[in-house]
Structure formats: structure tokens, C-alpha cells
Amino acid sequence: MNIIMQLNNQLQLNTKNTSYVMHIENGILTHTYYGKRLPDADHGYMAKRYSYNCNFQSKISPNLPSLDNALLEYPPFGEGGIITPAIEVLNCDGTNFADFRVTDIIITDGKPVLCGLPATYAEDEDKVKTLEVKTKDAVSNVEVSLFYTVFYEYDVITRWAVITNNGKDSVTLLKALSGNIAFENKNYDVISNFGAWARERQIERAPLLHTGATTFSNCGSSSHRANPFMILAQHTATEDSGEAIGVALAYSGNHQMSATLNEYNVVNFSAGISPDNFRWTLGIGDAFTTPELVISFSANGLNTLSQNFHSIIKNRVCRGVYRDKKRPVLLNLWEACYFDFNDEKIKSAADSAADLGIELLVIDDGWFGNRNNDHTSLGDWYVNENKIKCGLKNLCDYVNSKGLMLGIWFEPEMISPESELFKKHPEWVIKVNGREPTKFRWQLQLDLANPEVCDFVYDSIANILKTTNIQYIKWDYNRTMAHVGSAYLKAEQMGEYYHRYVLGLYGVLERLNNDFPNVLIEGCASGGGRFDIGMLYYTPQIWTSDDTDAVERTAIQYGTSLIYPMSAQSAHVSVCPNHQTGRTVSMDTRHTVALTGSFGYELDPCKIDDSDREYIKEFIKFYNDNFDVFQNGKYYRLSNPAIDDYAIYQYILGNTVIVGAIRLNSHAVNLQNTIRLKGLDENYLYTDTKTGEKYYGSQLINYGLKLAASESAGDYKSFLWMFK
Ligand code: GLA
């Protein structure tokens, strides 16, 4: 089996079901093919491109009038056409032209680490190889190494670039994307997410036109509004059929994903750090590593594409003990108390939660400094003894004595103007010199480009972890980065600010992961405002949205599932009427929805009546008995809650199948009576564990499961089946 094959001027990368082929023509690396697996063969005929309007000869071949019509693997700026450049280098003479030609090809086993950046990783047993194509601009001596790691079993290829200045003068990178794939348009649609606070990752799908498609974030984080991935799917592609290519960036800062279509029908599909306000100076000998781009292709529609991403992210991005260990069923007290609590209230919550079978109790915002509302105290990470009179350690011991773990909330990157920290270090704030910094939610942001600030952030958290038995942190981030300036960086480094901030953040998270390997960190950013592969490298689960309404969550979790595994999406059962929408739905429905994520609760356990308590106890038992299915099973989207009358999902692990359905719209005349299941063994006989009824896999796949016709009318009813 050839994972990476070099044949003359051809490079072929193979995964189990896909091939990625490139050619080198006149030293220029061009893209030839990405799609369903090809035989290991000479594909040279595919690499030839023709044009009939030849008014000047390009560097590749006299047949090709300009590089616009070439499928460049990493296009530089300045070829005179409308190719979207992947790299733009400003030379010391003020020009920004470069011409990168291949100088060397290196194939190695496994995968190198990306210095200071989150990335996929290989384990010993993996069939993983890495290709490095070295290229160089002969005039400036700037070198670009294009890396490709092939995860054979996962049907995933990852890409990144390392740009090294081996010239005699400094150069400045104005753009340095992680990758570009160029191919002929096959009537593609662009699929991406848009969103807002409490409305994250809604799906948009539209045809790719010559005006192109771009999603981006310039607000310092990956953002609520544009998640860092993009999918190109054939216009006819569905969940189960048709071709789709997805790219997702392992990065949590400013990003840009784009697909352009030029006059020769060439698509340039690219992704990386947003070039807006990006300027990175490379002194002599310096190198810059781009974030990693994770790429997958499916010939069988979007669901397989999503499963490929789920599997690589779950197994080869997420790390630490909680990658594989059962995630604890947690109860977060935010919606129960907001800022109004004390140690007695938490102890009562612990008693009550223990009785329900909860495994982890989380104290959210408000336990530190003088924090009684959101105006103060971020940065003062010591316990508020007016509220927690017994001290954090004693409280933790109490909670532990009830058989529960204790977790707490931090917003480590922030500082309140009304805080002890601000009095001591006003210069640690992100702000433009001579201007008032802008507040969001009354708070300012710390300058994580400054290593001293990063040390402070690390120490604040480490002190608490060293002196208590806190086993979980919710790492929140509740503002957008704006009016950016730093007392630490020099004026000429300001174009590096956003990326340096992200590197600072990753550095702190890495140290915490290494020093406290048993602590589970959950990401959060006003809900799901920083839900990306970069964060999942450090925090194996992320709070999906501040919207805990079960009905709204069906679309949010559905959109998130395009790329991210369900185990990464925290999903909680909250009280009704719901605090965000005022909607009331049944306990059943709230639980059925929360199963499509890392499962937990967001309510006051002391205020639950007896019948709900019994329900919750039973449900937690059911979840614990089957957690493996929810954490590690294959996930199928059986309907689209944004348009269908039902939200329906399915998990399958081994011989266990779990199906959940939530009725979003009731009709007097019901047009949907069956759900066709997926991925079952056609010849197995499956037993409905509730009714004992038996069905062949082929019946459930080809005819389907009956949505109980006798169920009474009413919106938001839910149904949960388990088959063995
Ligand atoms: C953000 C989070 C919430 C909660 C609050 C606390 O909004 O998303 O879950 O932690 O902050 O202030």
C-alpha cells in the first residue's frame, strides 16, 4: 500500500478511499486531482491543461496562456491574473512578487509537530506519512515548504506551510494561508456556517458563482458569526450521495475561508489566517509556520464527510485523559444562581446533585474577587470569602465527600477596569495608545502577546489547581477583540498582533494541559463563539451555545455536527420556561436533545420536583450505561431541523443503535410516518429494547422505523429508541 507515491514528476497521496495528486511542471507545483481513490498509476494526462487563446507563454507550458488557467498548489501573488493568492511576500525593495519552484521532496513516516500551534497528531499504530515539498524563490531566497500529512485510515489529509527567509534582507508576509486546492468546477455549492450569540453555526448553502464565496473573522477569535471551515459539495450532493470536499482550520483567531471561480472554470479553494491587518516580518533566517488545515473528501455525501472530521478530531486532535475517558455528567449552576450564591447554597446543590447521580458540579461566574455582577473583578482570581465563607478548598472537600468532582469558571483572558489587577497593571490591557479602550460587557482584554501577562494567567489558574482539588475548568471568553494595540509590542510588530495573541493563548493552555493532565478544561466564548479545532486540541469539549432551549439547540447542534464530533459539543438540560426563549417543552424532549452532545444539566437541583428527580435519575443511569455510544458512536443526521418537521439523529456503535426524534411542527395531516435508519447491518435482527419488537436491518434501512402514528398531536414531542 502506497500512502505517498512519487512517480517521475507526479506525487500521489492515498487514503483508504481518496487520492490527492499533484504534478511538478517546470518546477511549479500544480494540483491534478482530489477525489475518490485512484490506482497507483501515471496520471500525467490529467495534468495537461489547454487553452485556445494563447497570447503569451506561461512558465508551465506554451499551451497555457497564463497561470490563471493553471491549478497552482500554493499560488503566490503577482502572476498578473486573478488567481487568489495563497501567499504574498513584500520584498525589501517594495515589490511583492515571488516565484516558488520546487527544490526538494522529502517523505517521512508519521507527522512532525507544528511549533506552538495545535494540530492533528499521529500515534504509533497509525498509517500516517508526511510529504514535504520544498520550494524556493531564486531571487529573494525565501523558501516555502508545503507539508502534507496523510491519515490513511481517516480519509484525511492535513496541510500547512513553513516559510523561511534565507535571503540577505528582511521580508514581510502580507498573506500566508495554510493551503489552497485548485480544481475545475463541478457545479459546486458552497456550504458554510453563519451565526450569532445564542444562534451559532446555522448552515448556509449556495451555488459557487464567479463572485466567489468568503467567510472570515477579524474579531480576534474564530467567532460566532463564521466558523473556520468551508465545504464544497456538488449541487446534487445530499447527506448520502454526491461528492464533497471539506476544509477546516486548526486555529482560533482571525481566519479566512474562500472559494473563488475564475473565467477558466478554475476553483481556488483556500483557507488560513485572515490577511486583513496581517503583516509578519521575517528577519534573516526567521521562519513562519501557518496553522494546519484539515481536509477530507467524500464520494458518499455530507454525512460521510462529517464522520471523517468527527473521527479525526475526536481521536487525533483531542488529547489527554478525557479524549477516551467517559466525560462526567455535569451540572452547571449558572442558570440556577447567576451571581447570587454562597457556600451553603452550593453545598445543598451538591447534596441534591449527588442524589441525582451527577458526577461533576460546576460553579460558574461569580466566585472570585468582588464579582456580584458582570461589572467587576475579572483578573482577581482569588476566592470571594464573603460568598464562599468556608474557602474554596473546604468547599471542594465537601463536594468531593459527596462523591462529586468540583469545577469552576474562569475568564482568564479578561480584566475588569474595576479590579485589583487593573490598578496594578493598567499597561496589560489591549488598547490603542492615546485612546480609551472599548469595553464589551464592561470588560477589557489582557494583552496575551506579552509573555509576562501569559505567565500571570497561567499562575492565576495554577494556584487554584495546586491548592484545591478542582478537576474541571470552564474557560470562558466573552468579548470581541477591538481597538487593538499593545504596550509590549513595537510599532512595526502591530500587524503580528492577532496571531501573537493566539500563540500566547495556546502557550498558556499547553502549559496547563501538561502540568494538570487530569483536569478537564471545557472551552466557552459567550456560548460557542470559539468552537474550532484549535481549541479542541486543549479543551476536548466546548459549550455549544448559551441558548439552552431544546428546540433551538436542534439546529445549533445539527450545524455544529457538520465538522465537530458530538462529544465536543456540551449540551445541557435546563429548566422551563427556558431562560433564553421562554419556551416550555417536556423533560423527555430536553433530554433527547442533550444526548447529542457531552451530556449535562444547567439548573438548580434543589428545585426539581419528585417525579422529575426520578426521571433524571433513571435517565442518568441510561446515559451512563450507554455513554460509549454517545461519546464514540458514529453519528448520522437523519433530518434537517432547519427545514424538516422533525429533528432526527442516530448513533451507532457495534450492535447498538440509538435514534432520537423531536417533532418540531405538528400537522393535522402528517406526511412523515417513517424514518429510514442508516449504517445498520442489513442481515442483523435488531430488537427494540423497550418493546421487544424485532426488525431486520434491511427493514429499518429500506422501509424505515414507524414514527408512532398513535402519538397525540403537539409540537416538540420527542421519541427515543434503542435497538440492540
Ligand atoms: C458566558 C457563558 C455562560 C456563562 C456566563 C457567565 O455568557 O457563555 O455560560 O458562563 O458567561 O458570565
Side-chain angles (χ1 to χ4, degrees):
M1 176 221 339
N2 276 317
I3 296 180
I4 299 180
M5 187 187 76
Q6 185 178 1
L7 185 71
N8 304 319
N9 67 340
Q10 172 182 298
L11 293 161
Q12 179 171 345
L13 281 43
N14 293 321
T15 70
K16 200 159 60 176
N17 297 299
T18 72
S19 293
Y20 188 111
V21 183
M22 293 170 280
H23 280 83
I24 301 163
E25 299 180 61
N26 258 353
I28 294 178
L29 187 65
T30 58
H31 187 82
T32 308
Y33 173 86
Y34 184 35
K36 213 168 167 172
R37 177 73 185 264
L38 295 176
D40 293 350
D42 180 351
H43 309 295
Y45 85 97
M46 298 181 194
K48 293 205 174 76
R49 294 188 55 77
Y50 302 98
S51 178
Y52 307 104
N53 179 19
C54 191
N55 51 21
F56 82 98
Q57 282 68 52
S58 81
K59 301 171 216 177
I60 291 188
S61 105
N63 286 328
L64 211 55
S66 86
L67 288 187
D68 273 356
N69 199 358
L71 307 177
L72 298 183
E73 192 60 12
Y74 197 65
F77 179 83
E79 280 300 337
I82 64 148
I83 315 169
T84 325
I87 179 166
E88 189 172 350
V89 187
L90 184 64
N91 299 305
C92 68
D93 63 2
T95 61
N96 52 1
F97 176 71
D99 180 2
F100 296 106
R101 306 285 177 122
V102 176
T103 54
D104 205 359
I105 284 163
I106 301 163
I107 297 168
T108 48
D109 286 332
K111 177 168 195 276
V113 291
L114 276 74
C115 192
L117 284 165
T120 55
Y121 57 89
E123 298 217 321
D124 288 348
E125 70 276 13
D126 291 348
K127 293 178 192 150
V128 169
K129 279 186 183 284
T130 299
L131 164 72
E132 178 184 357
V133 183
K134 283 179 176 273
T135 71
K136 184 169 104 172
D137 177 72
V139 174
S140 65
N141 272 329
V142 171
E143 292 193 358
V144 176
S145 274
L146 297 175
F147 285 88
Y148 299 79
T149 292
V150 185
F151 286 85
Y152 182 87
E153 295 291 343
Y154 288 88
D155 280 329
V156 161
I157 292 171
T158 72
R159 283 186 64 173
W160 70 101
V162 178
I163 302 144
T164 311
N165 178 12
N166 286 326
K168 294 203 177 72
D169 294 296
S170 319
V171 297
T172 302
L173 299 175
L174 300 178
K175 188 174 191 183
L177 297 186
S178 300
N180 176 82
I181 317 174
F183 36 73
E184 278 185 29
N185 188 20
K186 286 190 195 162
N187 205 6
Y188 285 117
D189 281 352
V190 180
I191 301 175
S192 59
N193 276 165
F194 76 99
W197 172 78
R199 201 157 204 264
E200 292 88 342
R201 288 171 293 286
Q202 308 293 310
I203 296 177
E204 273 187 329
R205 178 172 181 162
L208 175 63
L209 304 175
H210 291 88
T211 44
T214 303
T215 66
F216 67 92
S217 162
N218 282 337
C219 67
S221 63
S222 49
S223 86
H224 291 88
R225 59 170 290 275
N227 198 265
F229 81 88
M230 195 178 261
I231 293 171
L232 288 185
Q234 284 180 299
H235 186 61
T236 49
T238 66
E239 287 284 14
D240 309 305
S241 68
E243 296 185 354
I245 301 172
V247 298
L249 198 64
Y251 194 58
S252 314
N254 292 348
H255 58 85
Q256 180 189 289
M257 328 294 292
S258 90
T260 57
L261 175 61
N262 79 8
E263 70 272 43
Y264 301 107
N265 206 32
V266 172
V267 178
N268 272 286
F269 190 24
S270 64
I273 292 180
S274 166
D276 292 341
N277 191 35
F278 172 80
R279 271 168 291 125
W280 194 278
T281 301
L282 290 178
I284 299 164
D286 287 352
F288 180 83
T289 303
T290 71
E292 183 180 39
L293 188 62
V294 181
I295 305 171
S296 190
F297 168 86
S298 157
N300 305 313
L302 292 165
N303 214 140
T304 300
L305 187 76
S306 296
Q307 286 169 352
N308 293 347
F309 278 104
H310 294 179
S311 161
I312 192 93
I313 293 171
K314 190 157 59 70
N315 300 305
R316 294 296 179 264
V317 170
C318 295
R319 301 177 297 167
V321 289
Y322 282 104
R323 183 188 78 177
D324 302 321
K325 191 172 158 181
K326 176 185 176 293
R327 305 286 169 79
V329 174
L330 73 80
L331 188 149
N332 179 306
L333 291 167
W334 175 239
E335 290 196 6
C337 318
Y338 296 104
F339 294 100
D340 181 18
F341 58 86
N342 56 32
D343 48 0
E344 289 310 317
K345 207 163 174 180
I346 289 168
K347 285 181 185 170
S348 308
D351 297 344
S352 177
D355 171 62
L356 291 173
I358 300 288
E359 294 163 306
L360 163 66
L361 184 70
V362 179
I363 308 175
D364 208 277
D365 197 350
W367 59 268
F368 53 91
N370 255 328
R371 182 89 163 168
N372 295 314
N373 56 42
D374 57 5
H375 290 224
T376 73
S377 302
L378 294 170
D380 297 345
W381 300 113
Y382 47 84
V383 71
N384 179 344
E385 292 197 347
N386 291 326
K387 278 185 176 174
I388 317 257
K389 295 192 181 64
C390 66
L392 201 53
K393 184 175 179 309
N394 287 335
L395 182 60
C396 192
D397 290 346
Y398 181 86
V399 173
N400 290 166
S401 75
K402 298 286 155 182
L404 293 169
M405 298 190 279
L406 184 66
I408 49 170
W409 180 96
F410 278 94
E411 199 179 352
E413 299 156 75
M414 300 297 162
I415 175 168
S416 303
E418 214 178 298
S419 67
E420 293 304 314
L421 182 64
F422 189 77
K423 280 187 210 144
K424 239 166 80 200
H425 286 294
E427 79 286 6
W428 279 4
V429 160
I430 294 180
K431 78 184 264 295
V432 179
N433 229 346
R435 294 176 198 266
E436 268 302 297
T438 0
K439 290 179 217 150
F440 277 70
R441 205 195 188 197
W442 314 103
Q443 66 202 48
L444 303 174
Q445 191 160 353
L446 286 171
D447 178 5
L448 264 59
N450 179 348
E452 203 190 341
V453 178
C454 292
D455 286 346
F456 164 81
V457 171
Y458 170 84
D459 289 341
S460 307
I461 299 172
N463 283 342
I464 300 275
L465 295 180
K466 279 182 198 153
T467 52
T468 62
N469 189 30
I470 299 286
Q471 285 165 292
Y472 161 104
I473 288 173
K474 179 169 165 189
W475 182 297
D476 210 340
Y477 175 92
N478 284 318
R479 63 162 288 169
T480 52
M481 202 188 286
H483 301 184
V484 166
S486 160
Y488 174 76
L489 290 187
K490 299 193 191 88
E492 61 271 24
Q493 288 175 303
M494 279 316 299
E496 302 176 3
Y497 191 80
Y498 287 95
H499 186 54
R500 283 190 182 272
Y501 180 94
V502 176
L503 293 178
L505 166 68
Y506 288 157
V508 175
L509 285 163
E510 181 68 19
R511 282 166 74 190
L512 288 168
N513 277 183
N514 289 335
D515 295 349
F516 303 97
N518 295 317
V519 172
L520 171 62
I521 307 183
E522 173 163 333
C524 177
S526 298
R530 198 162 58 182
F531 204 120
D532 54 66
I533 294 179
M535 286 308 288
L536 287 170
Y537 185 68
Y538 308 99
T539 70
Q541 61 192 52
I542 297 178
W543 181 226
T544 315
S545 176
D546 274 350
D547 189 343
T548 59
D549 176 293
V551 174
E552 302 245 287
R553 271 292 185 116
T554 59
I556 295 170
Q557 290 164 199
Y558 172 85
T560 308
S561 81
L562 267 187
I563 298 294
Y564 305 101
M566 308 324 280
S567 58
Q569 306 188 29
S570 290
H572 298 170
V573 172
S574 62
V575 293
C576 282
N578 178 266
H579 287 200
Q580 290 76 43
T581 61
R583 188 185 272 124
T584 295
V585 301
S586 69
M587 271 300 224
D588 273 342
T589 297
R590 283 177 271 157
H591 281 77
T592 305
V593 173
L595 278 180
T596 49
S598 273
F599 178 75
Y601 293 84
E602 187 100 4
L603 43 72
D604 187 342
C606 303
K607 292 192 180 146
I608 306 169
D609 67 27
D610 287 348
S611 80
D612 283 352
R613 291 192 80 79
E614 284 318 303
Y615 183 97
I616 290 175
K617 282 184 199 172
E618 278 299 302
F619 204 91
I620 291 178
K621 198 176 160 319
F622 163 77
Y623 176 78
N624 286 340
D625 288 347
N626 297 290
F627 81 91
D628 209 16
V629 182
F630 303 113
Q631 201 164 309
N632 299 313
K634 261 194 182 176
Y635 183 77
Y636 290 88
R637 293 180 292 260
L638 301 188
S639 79
N640 176 352
I643 50 177
D644 294 329
D645 288 337
Y646 284 85
I648 314 175
Y649 64 80
Q650 178 198 313
Y651 285 99
I652 180 162
L653 184 73
N655 298 337
T656 306
V657 181
I658 293 178
V659 182
I662 298 96
R663 189 192 290 147
L664 300 173
N665 283 307
S666 288
H667 299 285
V669 177
N670 192 7
L671 298 182
Q672 185 175 9
N673 292 306
T674 49
I675 316 168
R676 293 174 70 176
L677 305 193
K678 295 179 184 173
L680 277 58
D681 189 312
E682 300 230 355
N683 300 313
Y684 281 12
L685 195 57
Y686 291 87
T687 308
D688 181 328
T689 56
K690 243 186 246 156
T691 63
E693 279 171 87
K694 293 188 188 316
Y695 306 91
Y696 279 102
S698 59
Q699 292 176 309
L700 294 173
I701 289 174
N702 297 310
Y703 176 81
L705 180 65
K706 280 251 190 260
L707 277 164
S710 59
E711 285 295 335
S712 56
D715 288 341
Y716 315 133
K717 302 230 157 182
S718 68
F719 312 94
L720 192 62
W721 293 268
M722 179 157 79
F723 300 96
K724 293 262 190 192

